[in-house]
Amino acid sequence: MCRWKWEWIRETTGWTPTNLMHKAFEKTGERSGITAWKHRKNGLEVLVLPDDSAPVAAFMVTYRVGSRNETAGLTGATHFLEHLMFKGSTRFNKDAGSSIFQTLQRVGAQVNATTWNDRTNYYEVLPSDQLDLAMQVESDRMRGALL
């Protein structure tokens, strides 16, 4: 019998959205099945929407910066930065043989990013047992992008 990753996690660890977060996070709300959390020190907001209908996970990091933050004469800078962020990071880069695309596509991930007026986001859709890898990539990209 095939069990989805979500069911396996719930059965083996007791993990649920209400006990998901480390004590550094505070639950700030719940609506339509989405649980909102906020890091007590740095303000990082996390939204969790469990869905065990397929053995995949979507992971997205959204930065609240977009074209509205550009000045006259510098249009396109935010979108250009979005592309530069795919050059890699200290841990995930071509020179190390572990570019962001290589690393994520090796496990079957779909990877992309978008920029809009008020935000830029990076996302991955991948097998749910590889969710931690997506978090590692985005964390390293956030802190050590090779621009």
Side-chain angles (χ1 to χ4, degrees):
M1 179 174 137
C2 178
R3 293 185 300 179
W4 301 120
K5 181 69 171 175
W6 167 250
E7 292 170 343
W8 179 84
I9 291 171
R10 186 174 29 218
E11 290 172 11
T12 58
T13 67
W15 182 93
T16 66
T18 55
N19 67 12
L20 154 73
M21 292 298 184
H22 183 273
K23 62 185 176 184
F25 285 86
E26 166 186 11
K27 183 177 176 182
T28 57
E30 193 165 354
R31 185 174 176 183
S32 302
I34 300 170
T35 306
W37 304 86
K38 191 169 193 171
H39 194 278
R40 296 177 196 276
K41 288 186 179 179
N42 66 21
L44 175 71
E45 293 175 289
V46 177
L47 302 176
V48 178
L49 175 61
D51 180 354
D52 59 359
S53 63
V56 297
F59 183 75
M60 181 184 334
V61 174
T62 301
Y63 298 94
R64 292 181 179 155
V65 62
S67 58
R68 70 178 165 90
N69 302 100
E70 297 173 354
T71 59
L74 278 176
T75 58
T78 308
H79 188 217
F80 181 60
L81 179 61
E82 171 200 317
H83 286 264
L84 287 177
M85 295 288 279
F86 280 102
K87 287 187 68 158
S89 62
T90 50
R91 182 172 165 204
F92 301 99
N93 60 72
K94 283 184 184 178
D95 292 341
S98 61
S99 75
I100 290 171
F101 281 115
Q102 290 170 324
T103 300
L104 291 167
Q105 289 176 344
R106 185 180 68 243
V107 299
Q110 296 176 351
V111 183
N112 212 335
T114 66
T115 300
W116 193 241
N117 295 327
D118 60 350
R119 56 108 187 113
T120 302
N121 68 310
Y122 300 86
Y123 64 90
E124 298 83 24
V125 177
L126 68 172
S128 56
D129 64 344
Q130 299 294 321
L131 180 59
D132 184 63
L133 178 62
M135 291 185 210
Q136 290 176 43
V137 167
E138 293 304 340
S139 174
D140 202 56
R141 183 186 346 224
M142 183 186 299
R143 301 176 95 188
L146 302 176
L147 303 175

